[in-house]
Amino acid sequence: MTTANKCAISSCEQTPAATLDSQPLCREHFILVSYKRLDQYEEVRKGPGLAATDTESVRRFVHEAARAADAIEHTAQDLDNLERAKLLHIILSASELGRHLRRSPRKVATIPVRLCSEKLGGTWEEETETVLVSRYGAMVRCKHPAKAGDTLSVVRSDTGQTATARVAWQRPSGEEDVRIGVEFVGCENFWDLDWAAVEDSR
Ligand SMILES: [Zn+2]
């Protein structure tokens, strides 16, 4: 995950377990820093609103923190229950925060797509549809277990166009279906929409 051999917090000699904002952090400091940032953003969200922040950096934090917490939670052999609970809290709070971010215009649109996962030992395909689309991704109904960080292929059933996407979050929608958020990797305007016009019409 990182090549640095020391935590970025001065006076800490621990081995880094994660990277936040390009800073290598040991497990303890990763948890501390993430908690602090989540608290700060929560304050902003309840007050002036996240639109008042540098949304780009909040979004980066949300992704980095959730992915790193997930990776540590899965790979660390010596986690105690409290640490595990804190990591899960970070994953949940970050995805909650991500849901409040409106980084680009979104459009309610039902576009038929096929999702394909080539994950080792768990390949699947699903014909489904989008619930919301944005310039950078979509919210999609998905019955399969897609986890944050997974890579999927998204194929538009109408045009056959394919893009690689990363699962940003997964959550039960409260109905029968589960929804996932996907973000395209290196693909601009997959939906062929005029986003300036979408923004104007908000
Ligand atoms: Zn440290």
Side-chain angles (χ1 to χ4, degrees):
M1 181 163 296
T2 172
T3 51
N5 53 18
K6 247 184 61 181
C7 174
I9 304 295
S10 58
S11 83
C12 179
E13 300 288 331
Q14 300 286 326
T15 309
T19 306
L20 268 188
D21 276 342
S22 323
Q23 289 209 307
L25 294 170
C26 69
R27 192 158 84 205
E28 187 188 339
H29 282 119
F30 166 75
I31 292 174
L32 279 171
V33 170
S34 296
Y35 262 65
K36 211 167 135 193
R37 294 273 293 269
L38 285 166
D39 280 352
Q40 283 168 354
Y41 292 141
E42 190 57 19
E43 290 288 302
V44 176
R45 190 178 72 74
K46 287 182 185 151
L50 287 167
T53 62
D54 174 1
T55 319
E56 199 60 42
S57 73
V58 186
R59 174 149 35 87
R60 189 166 357 104
F61 167 76
V62 163
H63 286 200
E64 285 185 345
R67 292 187 76 175
D70 188 55
I72 296 171
E73 207 262 324
H74 275 85
T75 55
Q77 303 291 323
D78 55 342
L79 281 181
D80 60 34
N81 286 339
L82 182 60
E83 280 176 310
R84 193 175 298 279
K86 285 179 172 176
L87 290 167
L88 291 173
H89 175 78
I90 291 169
I91 297 170
L92 288 176
S93 305
S95 72
E96 176 80 13
L97 179 63
R99 256 180 266 159
H100 290 288
L101 281 177
R102 297 180 63 200
R103 64 168 175 183
S104 84
R106 292 170 171 192
K107 191 175 165 61
V108 176
T110 305
I111 299 173
V113 291
R114 188 168 77 245
L115 304 176
C116 313
S117 167
E118 265 134 51
K119 199 170 166 178
L120 213 59
T123 61
W124 51 264
E125 278 194 22
E126 180 172 339
E127 299 285 343
T128 181
E129 60 189 23
T130 61
V131 180
L132 272 181
V133 298
S134 78
R135 193 194 295 262
Y136 307 101
M139 184 198 289
V140 188
R141 291 182 215 284
C142 177
K143 297 191 187 78
H144 286 85
K147 274 179 53 67
D150 284 358
T151 299
L152 301 176
S153 293
V154 182
V155 184
R156 281 184 71 155
S157 309
D158 50 354
T159 63
Q161 206 189 338
T162 305
T164 302
R166 191 182 297 124
V167 179
W169 49 262
Q170 184 216 36
R171 70 179 161 104
S173 66
E175 300 158 32
E176 293 263 290
D177 57 346
V178 173
R179 294 168 184 197
I180 59 171
V182 296
E183 300 202 322
F184 299 124
V185 181
C187 178
E188 286 279 318
N189 209 6
F190 184 64
W191 306 117
D192 277 326
L193 286 165
D194 179 351
W195 288 104
V198 173
E199 184 134 41
D200 286 346
S201 66
R202 272 206 285 184

